[in-house]
Amino acid sequence: MKTIIEPFRIKSVEPIKMNSIEDRKKILDKSYYNLFQVRSNDVIIDLLTDSGTGAMSSDQWAGIMRGDESYAGSNSYLFFKDTVQDIFGYKYILPTHQGRAAERILFSTLCKKGDIVPSNTHFDTTRANILFQGAEPIDLIDDEYKNTQSIFPFKGNMSIKKLKELLDNTEIAKVPLIMLTITNNSGGGQPVSLQNIMDVSKLAKEYNVPLYIDACRFAENAYFIKKREAEYKDWSIKEIVNKIFSYADGCTMSAKKDAIVNIGGFLCTNNEVVAEKNKNLLILTEGFPTYGGLAGRDLEAIGIGLNEAMDIDYLNYRIKSIEYLGNKLLEQNVPILQPTGGHAIYIDASLFLSHIPKEQFPGQVLACELYLQGGIRCSEIGSLMFGGIDEDGKEFFSNNELVRLAMPRRTYTQSHVDYVIEIIIEVYKNRKNLSGLKITKQSKYLRHFTAQLEKV
Ligand SMILES: *Cc1c(COP(=O)(O)O)cnc(C)c1O
């Protein structure tokens, strides 16, 4: 059996409104070349994010109806808590409305001004939340993994050498925690090996620094461990997941990813003191600890989705469909980040548009062109997202200029993917005609969401 099919039937459909290139030209102008400002109705294939955009299963929808909305001690909370505990194994579990709420609470509890928080690569909300505490987020990836064209099975791994150097040369009281993002979203959806998780954990224990995992794509990461790390080929996804989290002191989770729901998150820890402080902050801004800013029905759907995301047939289909898209682009020499990762294809815009300098946001130029030509919306992961203006008014840039085509879970079919391939190849053929963008308005944090741009 060579053809891998979508392991589901479709029960409910959502129409896609078709529009023309002339329509899209006007829309792009009106949105100041910022795709976050475009209405979803004006998008044909939406690959902006895989966050909260997945299709829930009939089981999850049944769970939505079953949701127990009692203020305290609801059944849905108990089901959620038992499921999270069963999968991740932590003592204290707090539901939050999103991943970033879990981050804000964790970093408010653990970080102080002047601290340093190492990671393989911090995600944008993680980075922003650490900066907001006055602490410094640091990314520790091996230099050879930073080349988008180099092929290694676990390019998400944290550099053990760099981590050791950092821990040896920093006052340990200033390192309140180590974060490990699985899979490494900003680093191309690349997985982290179990060996690397064990090595990071060993160092963390040696230096007495807690290790937390950014768990958003835990199931996809576990799938890569099963496929690429020989010792685990006969392990179930759940067994691998249990093992991964046994090496950390806690985790933050956006349920909008590998719990396949539209909203939600949670924060786990084994540390009673941290848990108590977290809980008090949660009550202040999120809600009572048995719902944490979510409805009972959300908790029910998260509990069901966490298990569905670990289903091997689902993961086979998911990872293979990303690989399919990637391979078709590679056949036409489109420069993408290799090897293909878990939830998205990342086009290397600095190679794709090598004539546009990073000061003119080649990633954003490409993202806008894919929208113009095909109504495809994707996101820039480059200097618009990670660059900015420093304290001295000097402009700084991201290491990579990427465009991310993130695949919502269980949402699009293969013919949608074939359409995306056709548009990208067409844009690639005409790439020399494209020119740069400049920012006319921006904010200090997470500027990519609201920045306004125009053609240079
Ligand atoms: C999405 C994401 C977050 C933040 O989660 P939200 O639910 O969007 O707040 C944090 N880390 C990673 C790796 C993510 O992908």
Side-chain angles (χ1 to χ4, degrees), residues 236 402 439-440 445:
S236 72
L402 302 174
I439 295 184
T440 53
Y445 297 108

Side-chain angles (χ1 to χ4, degrees), residues 51 97-101 103 123 125-126 181-183 185 214 216-217 253-257 264 404:
S51 179
H97 79 277
Q98 280 196 221
R100 70 195 70 183
E103 290 164 1
F123 185 61
T125 57
T126 318
T181 314
I182 67 170
T183 57
N185 186 358
D214 179 336
C216 294
R217 296 177 184 80
M253 173 75 184
S254 168
K256 303 170 75 170
K257 321 289 168 55
R404 187 185 71 174

Side-chain angles (χ1 to χ4, degrees), residues 373-429:
Q373 297 301 331
I376 299 164
R377 174 158 65 175
C378 43
S379 71
E380 188 255 19
I381 306 225
S383 289
L384 183 59
M385 183 180 272
F386 288 126
I389 316 274
D390 68 15
E391 302 287 300
D392 306 324
K394 212 169 139 262
E395 200 170 0
F396 59 94
F397 301 94
S398 167
N399 289 326
N400 285 317
E401 302 299 334
L402 302 174
V403 168
R404 187 185 71 174
L405 306 149
M407 279 292 159
R409 292 167 181 77
R410 307 187 291 208
T411 304
Y412 292 113
T413 63
Q414 179 160 350
S415 63
H416 292 120
V417 174
D418 284 331
Y419 171 82
V420 171
I421 293 165
E422 196 181 311
I423 298 291
I424 295 173
I425 290 172
E426 203 178 292
V427 170
Y428 188 59
K429 286 187 182 139

Side-chain angles (χ1 to χ4, degrees), residues 199-214:
D199 292 344
V200 171
S201 167
K202 190 160 166 263
L203 265 188
K205 287 205 172 78
E206 227 173 275
Y207 287 81
N208 208 11
V209 178
L211 170 63
Y212 280 77
I213 295 179
D214 179 336

Side-chain angles (χ1 to χ4, degrees), residues 277-337:
K277 285 186 187 161
N278 287 347
K279 194 166 85 182
N280 292 332
L281 277 173
L282 183 88
I283 294 173
L284 189 66
T285 60
E286 292 281 297
F288 192 69
T290 63
Y291 68 85
L294 294 170
R297 52 181 170 269
D298 298 325
L299 296 171
E300 196 85 26
I302 292 172
I304 298 165
L306 286 171
N307 277 309
E308 288 180 356
M310 292 191 293
D311 179 86
I312 190 72
D313 294 329
Y314 159 74
L315 284 169
N316 254 325
Y317 137 77
R318 173 140 180 91
I319 305 300
K320 294 287 177 195
S321 60
I322 305 276
E323 204 177 283
Y324 171 82
L325 169 56
N327 287 343
K328 291 280 178 190
L329 296 176
L330 284 172
E331 278 169 23
Q332 303 295 322
N333 300 317
V334 177
I336 63 167
L337 194 155

